[in-house]
């Protein structure tokens, strides 16, 4: 809590302890980074001792279809054990033989949305095999948090996201990393007019000049931005400090740090 603002970190990856080190190493290899934290629930709970972050949206990503339900069982179990601290998103995979069943399974287990990472899962957002996910989520009114943007690939860039936003206008989409990691300006230019698109600021500050990030957040609008750290890549406390150093003002802080997430995810 910062003053009377409840702070919600809306972008955290978690892993079972036995595979957390390997999962972090895989992400480090993919992005050329060094994880600031260990990716475990215990590590995330340590962040609470700072007293400023109150709740975390936790999730993980299935790199193969057979991982989907086991990952969602893990996320839902951790949320059930710590409902005052965590709420969760499940994962889906477009090559699953039962995407509809996978979605029902995660919803029945109390998860509030779906997280996708097209670059790691290796599918194009607007590919026919992906669209069934968005169709089902729109029908069920389930928000989708998507890793968006990577200049090295052509899976999640603005040209792939725009057709999805056009086709599923009632679908709530959260474009991680201000809707376009490493292609921030292109993402804003091509996507900002789509009113069903929201963004989070995770994995932006370590890669983008702070003043440019501040300007871009203002251009997206304070009602459309969520605070996120991308734990364990970055320490949520350090990311919060960087966000506060932008000096966006009390109204922006109240909305971005907590209010927007509470409204979007139906949190008490």
């Amino acid at each position: 809590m910062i003053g009377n603002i409840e702070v919600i970190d809306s972008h955290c990856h978690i892993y079972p302890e036995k595979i957390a080190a390997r999962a972090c190493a895989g992400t480090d290899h993919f992005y050329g980074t060094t994880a600031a934290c260990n990716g475990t629930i215990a590590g995330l709970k340590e962040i609470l001792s700072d007293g400023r972050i109150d709740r975390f949206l936790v999730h993980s990503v299935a790199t193969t279809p057979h991982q989907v339900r086991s990952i969602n069982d893990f996320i839902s179990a951790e949320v059930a054990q710590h409902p005052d601290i965590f709420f969760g998103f499940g994962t889906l995979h477009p090559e699953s033989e039962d995407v509809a069943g996978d979605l029902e399974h995660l919803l029945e287990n109390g998860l509030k949305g779906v997280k996708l990472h097209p670059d790691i899962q290796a599918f194009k957002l607007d590919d026919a095999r992906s669209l069934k996910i968005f169709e089902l989520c729109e029908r069920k009114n389930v928000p989708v948090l998507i890793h968006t943007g990577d200049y090295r690939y052509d899976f999640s860039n603005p040209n792939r996201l725009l057709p999805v936003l056009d086709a599923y206008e009632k679908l709530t989409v959260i474009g991680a990393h201000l809707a376009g990691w490493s292609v921030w300006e292109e993402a804003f230019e091509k996507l900002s007019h789509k009113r069903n698109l929201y963004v989070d600021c995770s994995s932006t500050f370590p890669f983008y000049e702070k003043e440019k990030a501040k300007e871009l957040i203002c251009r997206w609008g304070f009602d459309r931005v969520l605070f996120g750290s991308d734990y364990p890549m970055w320490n949520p406390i350090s990311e919060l400090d960087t966000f506060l150093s932008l000096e966006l003002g009390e109204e922006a802080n109240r909305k971005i740090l907590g209010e927007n997430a509470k409204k979007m995810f139906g949190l008490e």
Side-chain angles (χ1 to χ4, degrees):
M1 189 81 72
I2 298 176
N4 62 351
I5 299 173
E6 182 179 10
V7 179
I8 298 170
D9 184 339
S10 294
H11 196 126
C12 297
H13 301 261
I14 58 169
Y15 312 105
E17 288 197 15
K18 65 181 180 180
I19 69 163
R22 188 165 72 251
C24 290
T27 303
D28 286 346
H29 177 74
F30 193 82
Y31 288 107
T33 55
T34 300
C37 304
N38 65 17
T40 66
I41 281 287
L44 194 53
K45 288 169 70 175
E46 288 179 9
I47 304 297
L48 289 168
S49 63
D50 178 79
R52 291 186 294 166
I53 301 179
D54 301 284
R55 286 195 269 187
F56 304 88
L57 169 56
V58 294
H59 48 70
S60 191
V61 171
T63 56
T64 63
H66 78 268
Q67 295 176 334
V68 168
R69 296 209 182 191
S70 61
I71 288 174
N72 292 342
D73 285 341
F74 164 69
I75 298 293
S76 62
E78 294 297 341
V79 169
Q81 288 185 47
H82 311 282
D84 56 329
I85 308 170
F86 304 130
F87 60 103
F89 271 24
T91 184
L92 295 174
H93 197 289
E95 294 182 358
S96 170
E97 295 181 358
D98 187 14
V99 172
D102 293 340
L103 179 59
E104 287 298 328
H105 175 258
L106 72 87
L107 293 175
E108 288 170 359
N109 281 282
L111 300 179
K112 292 184 174 292
V114 169
K115 168 66 191 294
L116 301 173
H117 196 312
D119 297 279
I120 286 179
Q121 293 177 290
F123 69 88
K124 294 176 181 178
L125 279 174
D126 59 342
D127 190 278
R129 61 186 178 144
S130 316
L131 297 183
K132 58 188 174 183
I133 292 177
F134 303 120
E135 179 183 352
L136 288 165
C137 288
E138 182 185 53
R139 189 185 309 163
K140 295 282 187 179
N141 196 28
V142 176
V144 184
L145 170 60
I146 307 173
H147 168 94
T148 43
D150 195 321
Y151 71 94
R152 303 170 298 175
Y153 307 107
D154 187 28
F155 294 112
S156 67
N157 285 322
N159 59 300
R160 298 295 178 189
L161 179 56
L162 184 57
V164 174
L165 297 170
D166 285 339
Y168 304 100
E169 293 185 338
K170 295 181 180 179
L171 175 68
T172 296
V173 175
I174 305 145
H177 326 310
L178 294 182
W181 180 81
S182 74
V183 291
W184 290 283
E185 286 295 331
E186 178 189 355
F188 182 83
E189 291 170 7
K190 292 184 177 180
L191 303 174
S192 60
H193 66 288
K194 301 304 298 183
R195 303 314 297 178
N196 54 332
L197 176 64
Y198 299 81
V199 300
D200 75 32
C201 63
S202 67
S203 278
T204 296
F205 306 132
F207 298 101
Y208 203 39
E209 292 178 34
K210 191 170 77 169
E211 287 305 311
K212 289 184 177 180
K214 176 179 179 178
E215 179 189 3
L216 197 52
I217 288 171
C218 292
R219 286 158 60 196
W220 275 105
F222 302 149
D223 292 320
R224 298 178 70 181
V225 182
L226 306 174
F227 171 71
S229 69
D230 218 352
Y231 171 93
M233 284 185 70
W234 317 109
N235 186 306
I237 297 303
S238 299
E239 290 296 284
L240 177 60
D241 286 339
T242 301
F243 174 82
L244 292 172
S245 75
L246 300 180
E247 298 183 338
L248 292 170
E250 183 176 351
E251 179 186 7
N253 290 348
R254 187 178 71 253
K255 290 180 176 181
I256 295 171
L257 292 176
E259 275 190 7
N260 294 343
K262 291 171 76 172
K263 291 178 182 177
M264 182 174 294
F265 307 130
L267 304 177
E268 295 180 359

